[in-house]
Amino acid sequence: MVAKVSHASDNKTMFEIYRESDYNRAFHFVFFTDLDEHNRGKEIARAAAGETVFHGFVGDDRKEAARAEVAAIVDELNAMDEDTAGMPDGEIQRRLGQFLVP
């Protein structure tokens, strides 16, 4: 996965919800433009090594509210039984619909 880091003029931020592929299989999320020089490489590598659950762009004007909803989704996924954990794309799309931009 190659992350396109948005520029200020884009007014949107790329994010990804992913699941670790190791034994832990925990769900995580990352907002790529929030990464700084100290953690950029490590966080992108972690996301790339995992299984993408959902990704997209959120409007910068709604980013904090979007982050809260993404965090809630990830918390729900991590609370599920490890073997059956998952959420249909349509459900994630519905819950994040007010924040997503093309």
Side-chain angles (χ1 to χ4, degrees):
M1 180 194 87
V2 175
K4 175 192 177 280
V5 177
S6 111
H7 300 286
S9 62
D10 291 341
N11 298 319
K12 62 186 177 182
T13 296
M14 182 179 182
F15 75 97
E16 180 175 355
I17 299 171
Y18 65 96
R19 188 174 195 184
E20 292 177 347
S21 55
D22 65 9
Y23 72 96
N24 185 15
R25 307 275 295 147
F27 292 89
H28 300 278
F29 68 93
V30 61
F31 280 67
F32 290 105
T33 55
D34 292 349
L35 301 175
D36 61 29
E37 293 299 320
H38 296 98
N39 64 359
R40 181 175 291 132
K42 181 177 127 184
E43 291 299 322
I44 291 173
R46 282 180 60 191
E51 302 166 18
T52 299
V53 173
F54 191 87
H55 68 277
F57 292 90
V58 297
D60 285 344
D61 60 332
R62 298 168 283 182
K63 184 166 60 170
E64 292 312 310
R67 183 188 321 278
E69 186 59 34
V70 168
I73 291 168
V74 168
D75 288 346
E76 287 177 35
L77 289 167
N78 282 322
M80 294 177 182
D81 179 81
E82 182 179 326
D83 294 330
T84 59
M87 189 177 290
D89 281 354
E91 175 64 10
I92 297 173
Q93 177 85 31
R94 183 191 66 74
R95 290 180 59 180
L96 297 177
Q98 64 182 316
F99 309 113
L100 298 175
V101 295

